[in-house]
């Protein structure tokens, strides 16, 4: 990440007085979009476990899916504490997130693994970047459900081994990773355009439209680093 842009974004969230209040209506939307992302990931991973060529892979992905369900339940409780019913709250985000998954449906085991590590990481970057400007009790929930797990190490090993042995596979997965980034940013912009309260929350957290531009720049930097870790940089 660029030092100047990182400092600018951080400055917007350093002061406790500048934090987005826990009562901000956009927090409910934030929890809801995260909840639908988690439950979507659960079903996606459960289905994609079938693509694994090994029992070890199937078990690893099953554990990832279980982790996503645990995160969903955390968000369900957080929404309930705000007086929101999880299914009603998630409804506005179904179309956009389903469109993202439909446009990035993996056709191979390795594509699935790259999507899990890189694609889900893009979304995590977006939300964790703004978490520093949220009230502590809200930020804690966000960081908890987006924390990377030890299962990521399995993905890294699986992909790196494959691309080290096959140059054409590496090139193909590099293009796949770029596609994931483009689609994810497009859908993030669409969601914000559709939900005024969530847009206001993000604007408050980042400072202004320039802050959102910096946020997307950080997402691209983190994406490049994840691709490098997978041997695709």
């Amino acid at each position: 990440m660029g030092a100047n842009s990182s400092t600018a974004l951080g400055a917007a969230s350093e002061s406790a007085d500048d934090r987005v209040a826990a009562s901000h209506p956009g927090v409910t939307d934030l929890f809801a979009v995260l909840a639908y992302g988690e439950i979507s990931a659960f079903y996606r991973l459960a289905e994609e476990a079938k693509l694994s060529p090994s029992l070890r892979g199937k078990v690893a992905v099953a554990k990832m899916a279980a982790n996503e369900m645990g995160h969903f339940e955390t968000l369900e409780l957080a929404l309930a504490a705000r007086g929101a019913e999880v299914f009603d709250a998630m409804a506005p985000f179904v179309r956009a997130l389903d469109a993202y998954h439909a446009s990035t449906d993996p056709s191979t085991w390795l594509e699935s693994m790259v999507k899990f590590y890189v694609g889900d990481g893009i979304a995590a970057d977006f939300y964790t970047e703004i978490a520093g400007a949220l009230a502590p009790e809200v930020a804690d929930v966000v960081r908890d459900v987006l924390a990377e797990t030890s299962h990521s190490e399995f993905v890294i090993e699986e992909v790196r081994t494959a691309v080290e042995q096959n140059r054409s596979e590496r090139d193909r997965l590099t293009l796949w990773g770029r596609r994931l980034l483009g689609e994810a940013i497009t859908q993030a912009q669409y969601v914000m355009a559709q939900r005024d309260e969530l847009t206001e929350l993000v604007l408050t957290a980042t400072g202004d439209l320039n802050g959102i531009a910096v946020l997307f720049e950080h997402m691209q930097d983190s994406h490049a680093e994840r691709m490098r870790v997978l041997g695709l940089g």
Side-chain angles (χ1 to χ4, degrees):
M1 297 182 186
N4 293 336
S5 59
S6 179
T7 301
L9 187 60
S13 58
E14 279 179 0
S15 171
D17 295 336
D18 294 334
R19 286 176 177 162
V20 179
S23 59
H24 191 292
V27 173
T28 297
D29 273 351
L30 176 63
F31 286 168
V33 70
L34 286 170
Y36 192 68
E38 295 294 342
I39 198 64
S40 297
F42 168 77
Y43 284 116
R44 174 167 54 86
L45 287 167
E47 181 66 23
E48 291 169 9
K50 299 175 185 176
L51 296 172
S52 173
S54 69
L55 179 59
R56 178 172 178 262
K58 286 181 171 63
V59 171
V61 174
K63 288 181 178 179
M64 294 176 200
N67 200 49
E68 303 290 2
M69 178 56 78
H71 290 163
F72 170 79
E73 291 170 347
T74 296
L75 290 158
E76 184 178 23
L77 290 173
L79 283 164
R82 298 178 66 81
E85 198 273 335
V86 66
F87 298 105
D88 291 340
M90 292 191 300
F93 305 105
V94 170
R95 182 178 177 183
L97 291 181
D98 282 358
Y100 166 71
H101 288 303
S103 65
T104 57
D105 188 28
S107 59
T108 69
W109 169 247
L110 288 174
E111 284 184 1
S112 177
M113 290 295 91
V114 171
K115 182 176 178 179
F116 172 76
Y117 185 73
V118 173
D120 289 8
I122 295 167
D125 290 337
F126 179 84
Y127 297 113
T128 53
E129 281 283 355
I130 68 173
L134 303 176
E137 61 269 39
V138 176
D140 287 347
V141 173
V142 173
R143 293 188 177 113
D144 180 41
V145 301
L146 295 175
E148 289 190 1
T149 69
S150 59
H151 304 313
S152 297
E153 295 303 317
F154 167 79
V155 176
I156 294 168
E157 178 186 343
E158 196 86 352
V159 175
R160 285 188 71 95
T161 299
V163 301
E164 285 170 0
Q165 298 170 352
N166 190 324
R167 174 61 184 268
S168 63
E169 190 73 81
R170 185 180 74 182
D171 293 343
R172 189 178 67 80
L173 291 174
T174 297
L175 292 175
W176 174 244
R178 291 174 186 165
R179 179 179 168 188
L180 292 171
L181 176 65
E183 292 287 347
I185 289 179
T186 296
Q187 292 307 322
Q189 292 170 333
Y190 175 81
V191 167
M192 286 195 295
Q194 299 298 310
R195 301 295 295 179
D196 291 343
E197 291 172 344
L198 184 59
T199 301
E200 183 186 337
L201 182 150
V202 175
L203 280 169
T204 303
T206 57
D208 53 22
L209 288 174
N210 287 332
I212 291 180
V214 170
L215 186 153
F216 282 125
E217 178 185 324
H218 286 191
M219 289 168 63
Q220 292 172 6
D221 290 344
S222 295
H223 171 78
E225 174 59 20
R226 284 192 176 91
M227 291 289 282
R228 186 193 66 75
V229 169
L230 291 177
L232 301 173

